[in-house]
Amino acid sequence: DAPPPDRAAQLSFVAALAVHDAVAGRVPGLATRLALKWPNDCLIDGCKFAGILIEGEARATAISIGINCVHHPADTAFPSTDLAAAGVRASPDGVFATHARAMSVPIGQWSRGDGFSVIRGDWLKRAFGVGRPIRVGLAGGERDSIFLPVWSVGATASSIACMMVGTPAMTWTLPSVKPGAFETEFWM
């Protein structure tokens, strides 16, 4: 059952919480080394180990999650890692099973968008880089600023925006960004 189209982008935050919580329970003390990076990455020790992509139409939404279990790409714009390098021994099947179980908690809290305020609060507790320098790839080139998440509280509380000091707020929606497009690539 697809969520309302204006709330589907919120699933990225739901999925990120599930990845975070599934991995956090694998090794004692690992939770303090994990963080979530705007808009859709999961980090260990400040390096990306997982990414999330939400795609959808009016009748269906797909959540794609890539988790680096044993290998990770080198020479990326943002440093990357994998679970094994962080001391987590896990097979792809084991990670999938753990994540599938962990997904039930935030998806239940989210409640097709009605509970997004809970998800927003939990995501912000795990957020990487709030109030810190950020470099954003915009259509006209890169800009440096300070990362400040902004959450709309309109009638549906569905817009998710990233505001940066000295730049206009940018809204991330599904299936693509709004006019004035920017690349959803953020470095902190």
Side-chain angles (χ1 to χ4, degrees):
D1 197 24
D6 65 334
R7 295 179 177 189
Q10 296 172 359
L11 286 169
S12 180
F13 298 90
V14 171
L17 289 170
V19 170
H20 179 282
D21 293 348
V23 171
R26 305 286 298 197
V27 175
L30 186 61
T32 61
R33 298 169 50 201
L34 298 174
L36 302 176
K37 181 174 143 303
W38 179 271
N40 55 4
D41 293 338
C42 302
L43 311 177
I44 296 176
D45 299 327
C47 298
K48 179 178 175 176
F49 74 93
I52 299 159
L53 176 65
I54 307 296
E55 295 188 41
E57 300 177 352
R59 297 198 281 174
T61 301
I63 303 171
S64 302
I65 302 168
I67 299 175
N68 299 334
C69 294
V70 181
H71 302 286
H72 62 275
D75 301 323
T76 56
F78 190 88
S80 63
T81 192
D82 57 73
L83 295 176
V88 179
R89 303 291 176 231
S91 69
D93 289 342
V95 169
F96 177 80
T98 302
H99 181 265
R101 285 189 302 273
M103 187 71 169
S104 66
V105 173
I107 201 80
Q109 292 171 324
W110 179 66
S111 185
R112 297 179 48 81
D114 291 339
F116 185 64
S117 63
V118 172
I119 298 301
R120 175 182 57 228
D122 287 349
W123 190 91
L124 282 170
K125 289 176 191 171
R126 296 164 176 85
F128 174 82
V130 174
R132 294 177 50 191
I134 184 172
R135 174 167 291 151
V136 180
L138 301 166
E142 292 180 356
R143 297 215 38 196
D144 292 321
S145 192
I146 304 296
F147 174 56
L148 302 170
V150 178
W151 310 86
S152 170
V153 288
T156 63
S158 62
S159 293
I160 304 164
C162 171
M163 183 177 86
M164 296 167 301
V165 176
T167 63
M170 294 182 287
T171 303
W172 182 60
T173 60
L174 185 80
S176 62
V177 296
K178 289 186 175 183
F182 63 96
E183 300 169 14
T184 55
E185 191 65 36
F186 298 80
W187 304 275
M188 291 182 240

